[in-house]
Each structure stands twice: as C-alpha cells, then as structure tokens.
Amino acid sequence: MLKDIFARIKLKAILLRAKLWNILSQFKQWRQARKEINKKRRLYIRVLRTVAFAFIFFLLFLLLMNINFLWLFGRSPRISDIRNPQQSVASEVFSADGKMIGRFFKENRTPVDFSELSPMLVKTLIATEDQHFYSHFGIDFKGLLSAFRDWFKGNYRGASTISQQLIKNMYKSRTAYSKGLLEYIPYVRVVVMKMKEWIGAFKIEVFYSKEEILAMYLNTVDFSNNTFGIKTAARVYFGTTPSKLKPEHIAMLVGMLKAPTTYNPLRKPEKCTKRRNVVLKVMQREKLITEKECDSLSALPLGINYSDEDLSYGQAPYFRMAVANAIENWCKDNKLDIYTSGLKIYTTIDTRMQKYAEEAVKNQMDFLQREFNRHWGNENPWRDASYREIPNFIRSNAMESGRYKALRKITGSQDSALALMTKPIQM
C-alpha cells in the first residue's frame, strides 16, 4: 500500500517536472521570439530613422538650393515669377473690318486657352510625354525609377514631366538664371539644374491646375522655324486651329516636341515622318485611333501646308511699319515692347479697300513698266544732265552701300565682296 503511494507521488513528480520543463521551454522560445521581434523592430526603426533623416536632409538641401545658399546653386524662378510668367507674345495688327493684317514678333507665338485644344491633342501629349501627369505633383518618381532601370540597360531616355519641361521652356531655367559656384563642376551642374527644375515644377503644380499647366506648356514649346506655341504651329504648318487638328497632324506636332530641330518637317521630313508614326502607334495603344487608322495614316505624307510668317507676311506691310513707328513712344512710356508684349493693335485701314488699292498699283506699275521698256528699249537709263550715260553707275553705287562695306570688311577683298553682291538673296 505504501509502495503504491510512493509510486503515484513519484509519477506526479515526473509529470510536474515535465510540465515545468515544457513551460520553461515555451518561455525560452517566447523570449527568443521576442528577441527576434525586437531585433527586427530595431532594424525597422533604424531603417525608418535613416529614411526619415535622408528625406529631411533632401528637403533641407532643396530649401538651401531654392534660396541659393552661399551662391552655390544660382537663382531659381521665384514665387512671383511663377505667378506672373513673362512670355514673348506676338503683337497683332487688326484692320477696321476686324481682319488680322499682320504681326510683330521676336518669337512667333499666340497663346491659346485649354478650351481651344483638341481633346485628342491633350491625350496624345500626355501619353507621349508624361503618362503619369494627372497622378504626380511635378516629379514622376515612377518614371525616374523606370528611366534609371533603362539607363542601366543602355536605353537612355529622359524622365522630365510636362511641369519640368514647362519650367525649362518658360523660365529658361538653364540659361536665363545664374548657375552658381557649382556650375564649374560638370556632373554636379547637371544634377543641380535638374533638381532646380524639380523645385520649379512643384511650385507650378501648387499655383496652377493641370489644365492650365497643359495650356501653358503648349503655348511655350518650340516647333522650329521660328514657330512657338501650338496655335501658331497649327496655323503655320497646316492652316488650321488647335481644335481642328487631324490625328496625323497631332502626331507630327507632338512628335516634334522630343527634338524640334531633329524632327524639323521642312529640313528633315524623313525623320519627322518616322517620329510621327511612332506617336501614331502611341495613339493606337491609347485607343485614340484604331489599328486600321494607324496603318493608313502612317502611309500618308506629312501633308504640310506651310506658310512662312515673317514680319512682312500679311497685308499692307509699309502701313504696319508706320503703325509701329507711330506707337513707339507710347510703348516706351508704358514699358511695353511691340515685338514681345502681345498687343492688339486696331487701325483705321480697311482690308477691302487695301486690296483694291494694291490691285490698282499693280495694274499701274504694269503699265509704267511697259512704257519704260518702250521708251528706253535696250538702253541704260542712268544718264547725266547732258543725257550721257554714267559709266560704272551700278558698280559705283553698289560700292557705296552698307552691304558692300560689311562684305568688304569680312572678306578683305573688293572682288570677293562684289562677287557676293551679285548673288541673289531673299529680301
């Protein structure tokens, strides 16, 4: 009996020891797990602290760059510059009957509102230049990562957003503003310029809506051949407006934005056509056109209806210059420039009467030319008071001209200067 009691006590003691051992093992496992968790937590905390410190340092660096700390970075566009952008806009001259008869410009540009843009144009621009335009705030970090990945693969491409390109185009951030002391360090200079564009793009996104940014961008871009802004480009290349551009026209103009000189449709039509077809593929991908339309449009020529709009383009060029001279003092008093301030100048001339007057002058000049030819025949008309022909009249007068003197200074030779004088030039 006593033996059984001892046996049961011994069994219970063994079971109790096993339970205690199990509890101790579980406690050790729990402690080990807690150590691992704390270790990972400390690692996470260290990583978060490092990221937070790097982010704060980055923001501080951007702030120092924005204020041009110690003149290291050069001046950036200020808030006042962003809110009141200065842009070279052509001044337009209108007749009494409401027709535009000409323009004064340094950069041939006429601004356009967002409501005047074709929806297809806007969608094509975003799909080609900045796919995440509506989701970023001036800097496309996804695009940056993709660009870095492609860069390592040897496929070099830009990652600038439309907002960054707008800063570069409108505010001439790489030329009009000082570079600072760091400009003398080649690779650092590029990084500083890019980051200044980031800062400017963020400011642009703060003060303007996405639609305003798109309109401003399309108003600033260069379409080559002294053609600036989408409204002027549509008129000069295709004789239409931004709202009426055809898909193939949109593809050509948006394609030119990558490199206006490289894809100049007048000088390099083959490259321009290839680039246009690339953009047509993008339009197909975005379902803006069908595959059949893409194939048929890609086979078309560029279809340019180019009109060279220089300062003499339009009606009554001499009258327009008289208008410019008449308001010169008024422009100076009001600190305006007729070539850049985008003035609307309304005159008293009537385009219909001007047309009739020019036709009458042409008819009379034709008559006078016939009379001149009948009177002089094959004789030279330059004569003295005694009706004797003046020898070397053309040559001696040519040598008194400003152009001859300039050519003589450049060439250093009378014969070379006179030879150049005989070559026709566009007037």
Side-chain angles (χ1 to χ4, degrees), residues 1 17 33 40 48 59 81 100 107 112 131 154 173 249 252 266 288 302 316-318 336 341 353 380 384 392 416:
M1 185 73 179
R17 187 176 64 180
K40 289 180 180 179
L48 287 174
L59 291 179
D81 299 325
M100 188 181 74
E107 294 181 352
V112 64
Q131 295 182 35
S173 59
H249 300 163
M252 190 199 89
L266 303 183
L288 299 175
L302 292 175
Y318 290 103
L336 296 171
S341 297
M353 299 302 294
N380 289 326
D384 60 18
N392 297 319
S416 298

Side-chain angles (χ1 to χ4, degrees), residues 136-177:
H136 66 64
F137 213 69
I139 307 168
D140 182 9
F141 291 104
K142 291 181 181 178
L144 281 173
L145 292 174
S146 299
F148 276 123
R149 185 180 63 243
D150 292 345
W151 185 78
F152 281 115
K153 293 179 180 178
N155 181 22
Y156 303 103
R157 65 180 180 87
S160 294
T161 64
I162 287 176
S163 303
Q164 290 171 239
Q165 294 178 49
L166 175 58
I167 286 291
K168 186 168 63 175
N169 293 340
M170 177 172 282
Y171 302 98
K172 305 291 188 294
S173 59
R174 298 193 179 186
T175 56
Y177 291 86

Side-chain angles (χ1 to χ4, degrees), residues 123-124 127 131 281-289:
K123 291 176 182 177
T124 302
Q131 295 182 35
K281 286 290 185 182
V282 173
M283 296 170 74
Q284 178 195 334
R285 183 194 70 200
E286 298 297 316
K287 296 182 171 51
L288 299 175
I289 57 175

